[in-house]
Amino acid sequence: MQRVRKVVIPAAGLGTRLLPHSKAVPKELLPVLDKPGIHHVVDEALQSGIEQIILVLSPGKEAVLRYFQRDAELEQSLLSPGKERELEAVRRAAALHDSVISVLQEKPLGLGHAVLMAKQAVGNEPFAVILPDDIVEGEFPAIGQLIRVFEETGKSCAGLMEVPREETRRYGVIGGATSSRPIPGLEKLRHHHERLYEVSAMMEKPRVEDAPSNMAIIGRYVFLPEIFTCLERTPRGAGNEIQLTDSMHLLLESHGFFGWEIHGHRHDAGDHRGYLKTQLRLAARDPELREEMRRLLARHGDGT
Ligand code: G1P
């Protein structure tokens, strides 16, 4: 079985839900506590054994790649006493420059199309996909959980979470049955024997009455390279875009597909409310900020 060595991170979107900020700054670079959101998901990939990061960017979003590049002049200017913390942060991002490459999506034709742009960079091997709007906290990296599922089953898989039925229309939703097959390395996770799903259907943003279940797909996937052939065959779907979920359906029919209910807490940092909540939740758990946050919220809010 080939190892999962590469991750594709689509970061080509217009960021409509985060306007007006995203008009001038790629939303992936907005700070989430001490580093840009994209750096959080890159760290998740590296902690999961991924070696190469393939960013899919659109024209005008070159700054996302620049964030991971060396800036000798800036580092030089930070070589003075009192700037150690800043220097370390700049170096930490630049240390990744050998691992990060980018490909271009020239036109906004959808998430599926964005992933297809990485076909050559991925080549003929299994690979992971992380959607950077979804930041997942947890003791075991989310994409690492899916890599374990892939290694055990040999099949493509997607991260899942349970949502209230009325919210299913905001997500890709699967239908299927749980499988109690154990996944080596994940036995320690709570309810591990109820997390694996053998997927039998998938729908992108279904109407509530059509949703095959209330198990929603979150932005974590591992694919066999055959997904690229499926993407090439996928006609435009919802929103007149090439939808990743539609091509996953084709892959399911030819090669099978698993879902895994991710152990961890997923934050949607892709709109204003979600972004704010992500910041607050992470700050409330950060050892350095926890006390200050608690006092601030106790004084000015109800603290929840
Ligand atoms: C995308 C996917 C959807 C998935 C969601 C998770 O939708 O198309 O299947 O459930 O991410 O965050 P988007 O949020 O880009 O509309």
Side-chain angles (χ1 to χ4, degrees):
M1 159 105 44
Q2 277 180 295
R3 268 192 59 219
V4 179
R5 302 183 305 140
K6 301 182 181 182
V7 65
V8 174
I9 305 185
L14 301 173
T16 320
R17 296 188 299 155
L18 272 169
L19 282 169
H21 310 71
S22 50
K23 177 171 175 252
V25 182
K27 63 173 175 173
E28 295 79 7
L29 291 181
L30 294 176
V32 175
L33 286 197
D34 58 342
K35 55 192 176 197
I38 189 115
H39 197 156
H40 285 269
V41 297
V42 165
D43 278 348
E44 177 190 327
L46 296 171
Q47 283 159 16
S48 306
I50 297 276
E51 291 159 11
Q52 190 176 56
I53 317 287
I54 304 163
L55 304 174
V56 186
L57 303 177
S58 50
K61 294 185 86 174
E62 298 77 15
V64 182
L65 184 62
R66 204 156 58 238
Y67 171 78
F68 292 106
Q69 286 169 345
R70 286 240 157 86
D71 185 337
E73 222 173 288
L74 175 62
E75 288 187 26
Q76 188 64 34
S77 74
L78 292 171
L79 281 174
S80 46
K83 295 272 184 355
E84 294 81 6
R85 204 177 164 135
E86 289 79 5
L87 179 62
E88 203 210 307
V90 165
R91 284 187 168 156
R92 218 179 300 132
L96 303 174
H97 83 284
D98 282 340
S99 318
V100 182
I101 62 165
S102 72
V103 297
L104 196 63
Q105 185 192 27
E106 304 237 15
K107 294 206 172 87
L109 297 179
L111 178 61
H113 182 259
V115 173
L116 183 55
M117 295 302 101
K119 179 180 173 183
Q120 279 210 327
V122 169
N124 191 26
E125 57 181 280
F127 65 103
V129 171
I130 295 185
L131 306 188
D133 278 356
D134 288 349
I135 293 183
V136 187
E137 271 182 286
E139 58 195 275
F140 198 112
I143 201 65
Q145 295 177 40
L146 290 186
I147 291 173
R148 290 281 161 83
V149 172
F150 173 77
E151 286 167 348
E152 173 60 18
T153 63
K155 296 207 183 343
S156 305
C157 49
L160 304 176
M161 73 173 176
E162 198 176 344
V163 298
R165 239 195 129 77
E166 58 279 14
E167 285 179 21
T168 47
R169 65 189 144 78
R170 293 172 36 195
Y171 299 96
V173 180
I174 64 118
T178 52
S179 155
S180 55
R181 180 171 171 174
I183 304 293
L186 300 181
E187 299 98 332
K188 286 212 189 81
L189 300 182
R190 203 157 32 93
H191 305 309
H192 64 92
H193 51 283
E194 296 165 10
R195 291 183 179 273
L196 186 66
Y197 284 74
E198 206 152 343
V199 176
S200 57
M202 284 174 198
M203 285 177 85
E204 181 65 11
K205 309 205 168 80
R207 293 185 310 182
V208 174
E209 55 275 30
D210 297 335
S213 77
N214 64 340
M215 295 309 290
I217 298 170
I218 60 171
R220 300 291 183 276
Y221 314 82
V222 173
F223 292 121
L224 288 168
E226 283 77 10
I227 189 73
F228 291 121
T229 325
C230 299
L231 282 164
E232 284 162 345
R233 284 170 46 210
T234 303
R236 294 194 190 198
N240 201 27
E241 293 182 341
I242 297 174
Q243 294 291 347
L244 184 59
T245 310
D246 294 345
S247 53
M248 283 158 56
H249 198 267
L250 294 177
L251 190 62
L252 156 71
E253 283 169 354
S254 55
H255 289 77
F257 209 101
F258 279 95
W260 173 261
E261 189 181 350
I262 296 288
H263 183 271
H265 196 102
R266 176 248 186 195
H267 308 280
D268 175 8
D271 66 17
H272 290 283
R273 181 181 293 244
Y275 177 71
L276 184 61
K277 279 161 76 176
T278 306
Q279 300 270 40
L280 290 173
R281 288 223 176 96
L282 293 183
R285 277 194 265 278
D286 183 271
E288 263 187 46
L289 296 172
R290 199 165 35 210
E291 259 313 296
E292 204 178 324
M293 287 295 298
R294 207 184 54 76
R295 272 187 271 122
L296 183 81
L297 290 174
R299 218 169 33 211
H300 298 291
D302 63 4
T304 55

